[in-house]
Amino acid sequence: MTCTEGFAYDRRARVCVDIDECRTVPDACRGDMQCVNQNGGYLCIPRGLYSQPTYPRAEPYPLPPPPGPVAPSYPIVSRSAPCILGYTLSEDGTCNDIDECVTDSHQCNPTQVCINTAGGYTCSCTEGYWLVGGQCQDIDECRYGYCQQLCANVPGSYSCSCNPGFTLNPDSRTCQDVDECADEPCSHGCFNTYGSYMCNCDEGFELASDGTTCNDLNECGFSEFLCQHRCVNTPGSFQCHCPGGYYLYEDGRSCEDINECETGNNTCTTAQVCFNFQGGYTCLDQLKCDPPYIELSDNQCMCSSENPACRDRPFTILYRHMDLSSGRSVPADIFQMQATTRYPGAFYIFQIKGPGNEGREFYMRQTSNVSATLVLSRPIKGPRVLVLDLEMVTVNNVINFRGSSIIRLTIYVSEYPF
């Protein structure tokens, strides 16, 4: 036999009897609710509104009802509670929601948060937690890339930070490059890079080990050939200096001789001749020929063959002047001498005569029958003034003639090798 919902068939009595759900259903009512069985079902009623009746148990529904007034077969609910489950009757007769979260009548575990709802409540987790196995566990937000750079997980939340050279944006997640150059950390130039910066120095300076300051470069220490004479280091650069008697050339490094004779910056008188040489000048007096020589021109003396005192003397003495740089590389051809008059059957001998070549710095090299060259064979340093007599001997065996002429060469050796 099949019974309606809420009843079960009793084979012995052969009738349908009520099922007591308050006993057979686990946790039929929760919280502060009292399970009350009734024919064909059950009710969950707040305990404060429930009173237990003393009436006998209801009989199976196939039996006829007893004569006269019949007593109810279920618990009596106070007539002052017309509100549905989860509400309570207020003094003005309206039904107000029961806040189970405030009255602590909920069944949320300590890790959960109670959220009141109309007529009930729900158990949830706070932000930053999720429900795992009935328990609220912290969410590791750092595993999901919430932060652009650095992330630190904290209970229920997370904290973003940035690498050096970056600052956290107002969204507290992304990072923005810091323009360190705005604070002028470099002593000279600054170049901002992504997350950092680079310092650079002006020309003539080098970056120090601290990466921010600039030290002056001593260009003069790089090479001794940077300047022709003397190098003076200056902040960020250098200057070349020349000795007295020279000026700095337009290349800023070479030294050029000042020709005092052309500029007029000399002390020679009108009766003298100004002779310029490297680094200086000299004033030459007018030529005076020593007897028995007589003046042939402004730079030449002659001893006449008709004068007995001129026998065995050079026929002419020609005065010449030249300058020579100190330390000039050798061998070097520095002066040329040749016969101006040629005689049939004659030949010529060239030689250095007299003092002035004690150190053997010079020699004559004959280059043709009528010419020779003065050669510097050893380096010579100045300042010095040397006087050499360069003799040309003329020999003619046809007419049995032998004579000579001299060039008296004065050499001004400068102090510097330029």
Side-chain angles (χ1 to χ4, degrees):
M1 181 177 179
T2 303
C3 300
T4 60
E5 186 179 359
F7 291 86
Y9 181 72
D10 188 345
R11 294 180 180 273
R12 298 179 63 183
R14 297 182 178 181
V15 293
C16 291
V17 295
D18 174 57
I19 299 173
D20 190 352
E21 291 87 355
C22 295
R23 294 182 178 179
T24 59
V25 177
D27 296 331
C29 295
R30 296 185 179 183
D32 197 28
M33 296 296 181
Q34 174 69 43
C35 182
V36 179
N37 186 61
Q38 60 179 342
N39 285 333
Y42 69 96
L43 294 174
C44 292
I45 301 176
R47 296 182 184 277
L49 302 178
Y50 173 77
S51 61
Q52 181 67 39
T54 57
Y55 299 105
R57 175 181 172 83
E59 296 296 336
Y61 63 78
L63 297 179
V70 179
S73 59
Y74 49 85
I76 298 175
V77 178
S78 173
R79 296 182 180 275
S80 61
C83 300
I84 61 175
L85 184 66
Y87 290 84
T88 182
L89 189 65
S90 64
E91 294 180 355
D92 60 1
T94 59
C95 293
N96 292 339
D97 174 58
I98 298 173
D99 190 344
E100 293 85 356
C101 300
V102 174
T103 61
D104 202 21
S105 58
H106 61 84
Q107 292 184 345
C108 301
N109 64 51
T111 64
Q112 296 175 324
V113 176
C114 175
I115 301 175
N116 185 62
T117 61
Y121 65 91
T122 59
C123 297
S124 180
C125 296
T126 59
E127 185 178 2
Y129 293 84
W130 53 11
L131 192 64
V132 178
Q135 299 291 324
C136 291
Q137 294 186 3
D138 174 54
I139 300 173
D140 187 359
E141 295 86 353
C142 296
R143 295 179 57 186
Y144 302 99
Y146 283 12
C147 299
Q148 183 181 13
Q149 291 186 2
L150 304 178
C151 180
N153 187 60
V154 295
S157 185
Y158 64 96
S159 176
C160 295
S161 59
C162 300
N163 294 319
F166 295 87
T167 184
L168 197 63
N169 282 322
D171 61 7
S172 299
R173 292 183 58 196
T174 59
C175 297
Q176 182 178 353
D177 174 55
V178 175
D179 185 3
E180 295 87 352
C181 294
D183 296 331
E184 298 181 355
C186 305
S187 59
H188 283 188
C190 182
F191 177 74
N192 186 61
T193 61
Y194 190 69
S196 186
Y197 66 97
M198 295 176 61
C199 294
N200 52 57
C201 298
D202 298 336
E203 184 178 1
F205 293 85
E206 63 179 349
L207 199 63
S209 58
D210 62 5
T212 58
T213 58
C214 295
N215 294 333
D216 174 52
L217 281 173
N218 184 7
E219 295 87 352
C220 297
F222 292 162
S223 173
E224 61 182 32
F225 303 107
L226 194 61
C227 295
Q228 190 173 26
H229 179 57
R230 185 166 63 94
C231 181
V232 177
N233 186 61
T234 60
S237 185
F238 67 96
Q239 291 181 352
C240 294
H241 289 232
C242 295
Y246 296 85
Y247 69 93
L248 193 63
Y249 192 58
E250 58 186 15
D251 62 2
R253 300 187 180 189
S254 304
C255 293
E256 289 289 325
D257 173 58
I258 298 174
N259 191 333
E260 295 87 353
C261 297
E262 291 183 356
T263 61
N265 188 22
N266 60 77
T267 59
C268 298
T269 65
T270 56
Q272 293 175 316
V273 176
C274 180
F275 176 78
N276 183 74
F277 56 85
Q278 293 292 316
Y281 70 97
T282 185
C283 297
L284 303 177
D285 294 325
Q286 289 184 348
L287 180 62
K288 292 182 179 181
C289 300
D290 296 329
Y293 287 90
I294 61 174
E295 184 178 341
L296 184 63
S297 65
D298 59 355
N299 66 340
Q300 190 174 18
C301 295
M302 181 185 70
C303 195
S304 175
S305 58
E306 298 177 355
N307 188 345
C310 292
R311 183 174 297 180
D312 299 330
R313 292 177 182 268
F315 178 63
T316 59
I317 301 176
L318 180 65
Y319 292 85
R320 292 291 180 87
H321 303 80
M322 68 170 290
D323 62 345
L324 183 67
S325 298
S326 178
R328 182 171 176 175
S329 59
V330 294
D333 296 347
I334 62 172
F335 190 81
Q336 189 172 13
M337 184 178 183
Q338 68 179 15
T340 58
T341 303
R342 301 179 185 181
Y343 299 97
F347 64 91
Y348 303 91
I349 300 172
F350 298 90
Q351 61 186 4
I352 300 175
K353 185 179 180 180
N357 193 29
E358 293 82 356
R360 303 288 183 179
E361 294 97 346
F362 306 92
Y363 70 89
M364 295 293 292
R365 184 182 76 245
Q366 192 154 343
T367 56
S368 71
N369 291 334
V370 294
S371 63
T373 298
L374 179 65
V375 180
L376 176 67
S377 59
R378 294 182 181 180
I380 188 169
K381 292 186 178 298
R384 288 178 65 182
V385 179
L386 302 174
V387 179
L388 299 178
D389 281 351
L390 308 181
E391 184 181 37
M392 181 183 70
V393 180
T394 304
V395 179
N396 192 329
N397 293 327
V398 175
I399 60 175
N400 195 22
F401 174 80
R402 183 184 180 92
S404 67
S405 295
I406 285 179
I407 294 180
R408 184 157 291 165
L409 181 64
T410 302
I411 302 174
Y412 295 91
V413 183
S414 65
E415 183 179 357
Y416 304 102
F418 44 81

